[in-house]
Amino acid sequence: PRFRDPACSPFFFQVDTPMETSRPAGRTSEESAATSTGPLRPINLLTSRCDHPGASTSFKRDDTGLVSSALAMRHRPASLRLEDLGLPPSVVERFGERGVKTMYAWQRGAIDSASDGSNLVFCAPTSGGKSLVAEVLLVKALMRRGRQGRALFVLPFHSLVNEKSKDLEKILAPMYRKRTPGDGRSPVAVRAFAGETEGAPLARPLGCPGRNEIVAVTTIEKASVTISRLAEEGRLGELCAVVVDELHLVGEEGRGGTLESMLAKLRFADRRGACGERGNSQIVAMSATVSHESLERLAGWLDARLFITNYRPVELKEHVVNHGGEVFLKRAGGKERTGTGT
C-alpha cells in the first residue's frame, strides 16, 4: 500500500508487502512530482521495511530539501487484535459477536494512519474489509470528543443506509446507554435517514429533549442538506467525523455534484475555522473502483492521507467459456483448460 500525507511534504509511504502490489515506493505521478519541492533521496526498501506488513515509514524534508526518514509507526510488530486498538471493551465485544476479533495487516496500517484525526482517503478491493476500517475510525473519533461529538455516515442507497444503521447500532449502543430508564435526554446511538424517514439528521443540539442521535446514517442528498443546515446554525463543531462510502460517485453526473458540494462545504468550513474550539471534523472516504491517479487528486483536495492496497482476502479467478462449453482459467502467459461446461 502507499500513503500520501500532505503534512509530510510531500509523501507518506507504506512499504509494499509480498501479498500486496502497487507502484514502488518513491515513484509519484507527474502531477504529484510537480508539486514537490526538492530532490527525493533514494530509499533502501530492505532497511526501510518495518517488521510487519501493516507498518509504515514516513519521509519528511529537512532544511536542505532532502528527505529524512522518521518512523510513523512502531518498528516492532503491531498487534492485529481489535482489543489492542484502544477501543472500549464493550465495543470490542460487539465486534466479536460479529465474528471480528482480528484484522488484516493493511487494515491496521490504514487505521494507524488516521488515528490522530487526520482525514483519510483509502482504496481496497470489494469485500476487502473497508467497512471495519471506517467503523473503527468512527469509534475513535467519537471517543476523542467524549459525549460532545456526533457523526455522519454517508451511503449512496436506501438499502445500504438501513443495513449499516443496524450494524452500527449494535456496535455503538454500549457507548450510549441511557443513564436511567425513560431518560428522554440520553442520546440514541444511531438512526437511519433515507427516503421518507421522518425528521432530519442531527436536527437538535445534544442535550435538548427528544430523540437526539449521535450517528446519523444518511443518503448523499440528506447528508448535503444536513451539512448546510449545521453550517447555517453554527453547529458544524458538533461533527467529529464524516464517513463517505463509494467516494467514486463524486465523478458521476447528478448525484456526484451533490456529494462534491457536501465535501466542499466541509473543507471550506474547516479552512475558515467555522467548527470552533472543538476542532474540525475528520473525513474518512473509501472506494474500491477509483484509479490511483484520481485518488491522489481527491486526497489532495480533501487534505487527506491516502492509503491504497490491492490485497484480497479471497483469490479472484477469471474463467472463459467458449461456445463448445469448454471452461478455461485465465492466467498470466495464457489460458489453462479446467473442464467442460454443461
Side-chain angles (χ1 to χ4, degrees), residues 71-90:
L71 289 182
M73 301 178 191
R74 296 185 296 273
H75 265 283
R76 68 175 184 272
S79 172
L80 299 182
R81 298 181 301 179
L82 285 182
E83 62 186 15
D84 295 329
L85 288 176
L87 304 178
S90 57

Side-chain angles (χ1 to χ4, degrees), residues 35-48:
T35 63
S36 64
T37 54
L40 292 176
R41 178 182 301 168
I43 300 165
N44 185 338
L45 294 183
L46 294 178
T47 59
S48 296

Side-chain angles (χ1 to χ4, degrees), residues 177-184 186:
R177 288 194 178 98
K178 291 186 177 181
R179 297 177 178 84
T180 59
D183 183 4
S186 296

Side-chain angles (χ1 to χ4, degrees), residues 241-290:
V242 176
V243 180
V244 179
D245 197 3
E246 309 297 349
L247 179 62
H248 60 271
L249 293 177
V250 76
E252 292 191 359
E253 296 184 4
R255 303 186 77 196
T258 304
L259 179 57
E260 179 183 358
S261 173
M262 182 199 76
L263 293 171
K265 284 180 282 190
L266 278 175
R267 292 299 304 130
F268 179 78
D270 288 350
R271 292 173 180 174
R272 293 292 297 271
C275 296
E277 297 179 356
R278 296 181 181 179
N280 298 336
S281 54
Q282 181 182 23
I283 299 175
V284 178
M286 52 187 160
S287 178
T289 59
V290 182

